[in-house]
Amino acid sequence: MIQVQNLTHRYAGRTALSNVSFEVRKGEVFGLLGPNGGGKSTLFRILSTMMVPGEGRATVAGYDVVRDPAAVRRLVGVVFQSQSLDRALTVEENLRAQGHLHGLKGATLRDRMEAAMERLGLADRRKDLVEALSGGLRRRVEIAKALLHRPQVLLMDEASTGLDPSARRDLSRHIENLRDRDGVTILLTTHILEEADRCDRLVLLHQGAIVAQGSPGELRSRIGGDVVVLESGDAPSLAARIEQRFSMKPTVADGRVRVEIPNGHRFIAEVVEAFPGSIESVGLHKPTLEDVFVRETGASIE
Ligand code: ADP
Ligand code: MG
């Protein structure tokens, strides 16, 4: 449904995207996960036809975003990072204004508004002023607005930023509902691990380049066994001593030493005994997308 081929983009000499290629299949939720500055919004601007890429190409349902932007805009609904609602208007009034921009009116517009409000669970909030709504509800109104012209593809830039975990989960459920009930293809950007974990597939973006892609499960399974995280007053020195003693290659990120290892609990007992006094705390967990990112880049996401 979306094809991105060798996209490269620079702003005044600074590379924001570097040879990025991936494909989004029809009816999936696809995520772009990466820290701030990773290039997510740049890619989003190119796909939503707001900006022309330096090199490479991108198509939506076969339409080229540069040569055929009008066709792409008909197929795509867009939810921007910054909010785009009129807070002094009600939910319904915001949707109606957007419908008019698409040339919708009368019974057609009413039907589209009803359908969009029903899908996003907004029907009983239609008369509420946007300024009286919670952050999570506002995001849902943004999505309803983006769906009025019945796009096949929904693009969302950091839609859940600023929401608390429960509002975020709620938003994810609505997005999955759009996929399951309407077959909408969704591409979202995020720097939040839980949100990325709910995507069908994703790419990890770091400094404008893809460092890994696959389903969350596939990505996590690249790390065998457990992840052990050790805090120390001098993490680099602890890492060097572990490397020497246990002949393994720990990574140091955010002042913590990380080790990927089968049977982490056994390693913990050994490492604590080997370096008494050097370790301040010990943690053990199953691999997360953060671990995948740290392994591929040496940097952390959040
Ligand atoms: P993200 O959305 O993942 O945080 P962006 O695509 O916004 O990443 O930014 C990628 C890189 O491009 C960053 O280094 C950022 O500073 C730079 N950048 C983004 N927008 C502009 C711009 N309009 N002018 C110059 N540099 C920019
Ligand atoms: Mg951004």
Side-chain angles (χ1 to χ4, degrees):
M1 188 53 122
I2 300 175
Q3 293 229 342
V4 171
Q5 290 164 359
N6 309 109
L7 275 190
T8 294
H9 192 81
R10 293 181 191 84
Y11 298 102
R14 167 180 287 182
T15 302
L17 281 181
S18 175
N19 201 30
V20 167
S21 301
F22 62 87
E23 187 177 341
V24 180
R25 299 174 193 144
K26 191 170 165 45
E28 71 178 346
V29 177
F30 192 93
L32 303 173
L33 172 67
N36 264 335
K40 303 180 298 294
S41 293
T42 300
L43 194 46
F44 178 88
R45 286 181 206 124
I46 293 169
L47 289 175
S48 59
T49 78
M50 288 188 295
M51 204 171 77
V52 171
E55 293 160 45
R57 77 191 278 257
T59 60
V60 178
Y63 294 104
D64 190 293
V65 296
V66 176
R67 282 191 314 216
D68 231 338
V72 171
R73 281 198 290 269
R74 273 195 297 280
L75 288 165
V76 166
V78 182
V79 179
F80 297 99
Q81 187 167 354
S82 55
Q83 80 122 27
S84 71
L85 302 172
D86 189 329
R87 298 160 66 103
L89 297 181
T90 66
V91 170
E92 213 169 39
E93 287 162 349
N94 269 281
L95 295 182
R96 193 173 299 117
Q98 178 72 11
H100 290 154
L101 284 181
H102 286 294
L104 297 166
K105 53 186 193 306
T108 311
L109 175 56
R110 270 202 308 280
D111 291 350
R112 298 280 182 94
M113 284 170 56
E114 287 307 319
M117 285 190 286
E118 193 274 325
R119 260 308 174 267
L120 276 303
L122 295 165
D124 57 345
R125 300 302 189 113
R126 67 181 70 215
K127 303 284 185 204
D128 290 9
L129 290 177
V130 165
E131 65 189 4
L133 300 178
S134 66
L137 276 162
R138 281 185 204 166
R139 298 315 288 174
R140 277 151 59 185
V141 180
E142 299 264 8
I143 296 173
K145 195 176 140 182
L147 292 173
L148 282 178
H149 64 301
R150 291 202 290 202
Q152 296 178 31
V153 175
L154 184 63
L155 303 178
M156 295 193 291
D157 197 15
E158 305 253 5
S160 76
T161 296
L163 300 184
D164 63 44
S166 107
R168 222 185 276 143
R169 278 192 293 277
D170 178 66
L171 195 67
S172 291
R173 275 194 295 273
H174 279 95
I175 290 165
E176 287 156 14
N177 215 2
L178 288 172
R179 173 195 63 193
D180 298 340
R181 290 170 66 183
D182 302 320
V184 177
T185 303
I186 292 138
L187 184 138
L188 57 86
T189 76
T190 185
H191 66 273
I192 295 163
L193 297 166
E194 300 97 276
E195 195 179 15
D197 241 316
R198 292 184 74 137
C199 292
D200 297 313
R201 293 191 309 132
L202 58 144
V203 299
L204 271 48
L205 267 184
H206 178 57
Q207 296 175 352
I210 293 183
V211 293
Q213 57 180 307
S215 71
E218 278 161 18
L219 291 170
R220 278 189 267 105
S221 71
R222 290 186 185 183
I223 296 179
D226 301 317
V227 178
V228 173
V229 181
L230 306 167
E231 276 186 63
S232 169
D234 186 353
S237 138
L238 178 63
R241 284 181 289 156
I242 290 173
E243 184 170 354
Q244 202 171 33
R245 170 83 175 244
F246 295 95
S247 42
M248 55 172 63
K249 192 102 188 87
T251 44
V252 178
D254 287 344
R256 286 192 284 251
V257 179
R258 287 170 186 251
V259 177
E260 295 170 13
I261 191 163
N263 298 316
H265 58 284
R266 215 170 291 154
F267 172 72
I268 287 175
E270 289 170 15
V271 80
V272 170
E273 190 155 314
F275 306 116
S278 302
I279 298 170
E280 279 155 25
S281 83
V282 178
L284 168 76
H285 62 262
K286 292 291 168 201
T288 64
L289 291 172
E290 168 82 353
D291 295 316
V292 178
F293 196 83
V294 169
R295 173 198 221 174
E296 300 296 335
T297 66
S300 98
I301 294 183
E302 282 169 341

